[in-house]
Amino acid sequence: QSAPLSPRATSADEMRQLEFFMDGPFILVAYAQAGCVLPEVFDVYLDLYEAALADLPYELISVVAYAVARAGLERPTFWARLRSEVERSWEAWSMSALGKVALACRLVLLAVGIERADGEAVLDLLQTVGKTLVLRSDELTFHEATDAVMVFALLPPSLVLNRDSIELLSCVCTFMAGVPEEFPPSYLAGAFHALCAIHLEMPRLSATGGGAEADAGTAEVVAAL
């Protein structure tokens, strides 16, 4: 995707605007990684990015998502807009950008769980990314497969047993079983650890009254593992 942000800018103002948009995501990541979440920096950038999300290159959008997650900011409108963008143009997103978005979701859930004000928006985004990864499973790499399964390991069993989640887990397990040699040791270990965590959590849902549908879902996940 190419962003219509005056790539042939000629005036000094146009050049500054282009640099602002292209460099901004990485500036936000640097501030977030340093633990320096200044509202006067993040609010200015994020307000503009939310408004222009459809015009930004997908790789840059994914970097912004990572920065928001790493900074620990509550931006339900950002996650909702990002979900709409992925849903609208899922075929055009690069797999690496989708993997970064899944990673951003994992950072949010790892830090604060699903109880935060924007938790529902993050879960909706995660579901949309998961569906996209399944639809484009022939393009999966170890990056996206590992990010996807590690984020699902953070969800309550009831959400893991969602039909879309089961389909994604089965897809990832099939991919891992087919090309384990493509996974660097750290990625393979991380993915296996996440799958084991999901497997060990499954009986807990049935014990708390998950019902026949949950039992069937548990059987599918275990079979995939």
Side-chain angles (χ1 to χ4, degrees):
Q1 178 203 22
S2 59
L5 293 173
S6 304
R8 296 182 179 179
T10 54
S11 71
D13 286 343
E14 287 176 332
M15 288 299 296
R16 280 194 294 270
Q17 182 190 27
L18 184 60
E19 290 175 2
F20 179 89
F21 272 91
M22 302 303 284
D23 296 342
F26 304 99
I27 292 172
L28 295 182
V29 168
Y31 273 89
Q33 289 179 332
C36 188
V37 186
L38 300 176
E40 57 267 32
V41 175
F42 278 83
D43 288 347
V44 170
Y45 271 110
L46 294 177
D47 288 345
L48 288 171
Y49 284 144
E50 280 190 29
L53 207 61
D55 296 330
L56 291 174
Y58 301 128
E59 287 291 343
L60 284 187
I61 297 175
S62 66
V63 175
V64 175
Y66 174 81
V68 173
R70 183 66 186 260
L73 297 173
E74 291 190 20
R75 298 282 300 205
T77 54
F78 172 77
W79 299 118
R81 286 176 183 269
L82 180 51
R83 175 185 178 273
S84 296
E85 185 59 32
V86 174
E87 197 170 46
R88 182 183 70 84
S89 50
W90 62 272
E91 292 179 287
W93 279 69
S94 69
M95 293 299 279
S96 63
L98 289 170
K100 289 187 182 77
V101 173
L103 172 60
C105 292
R106 178 161 68 92
L107 289 176
V108 173
L109 297 175
L110 190 61
V112 295
I114 62 174
E115 312 302 326
R116 204 167 72 173
D118 55 357
E120 185 176 349
V122 172
L123 289 178
D124 288 343
L125 170 60
L126 180 59
Q127 185 178 40
T128 300
V129 170
K131 288 179 180 178
T132 302
L133 293 178
V134 170
L135 289 171
R136 296 174 57 186
S137 58
D138 58 329
E139 302 174 56
L140 272 179
T141 72
F142 65 86
H143 285 287
E144 299 81 46
T146 304
D147 285 333
V149 76
M150 289 183 75
V151 71
F152 275 92
L154 298 172
L155 299 178
S158 57
L159 293 178
V160 176
L161 292 181
N162 172 284
R163 172 58 50 189
D164 294 326
S165 301
I166 291 172
E167 190 174 7
L168 177 60
L169 286 171
S170 298
C171 176
V172 170
C173 288
T174 299
F175 175 72
M176 288 180 63
V179 289
E181 70 281 356
E182 292 187 8
F183 284 71
S186 60
Y187 282 81
L188 189 61
F192 184 72
H193 182 272
L195 290 170
C196 287
I198 293 171
H199 176 60
L200 293 173
E201 282 290 313
M202 288 302 102
R204 202 156 62 85
L205 183 62
S206 297
T208 56
E213 184 178 347
D215 288 339
T218 300
E220 288 193 47
V221 174
V222 171
L225 297 178

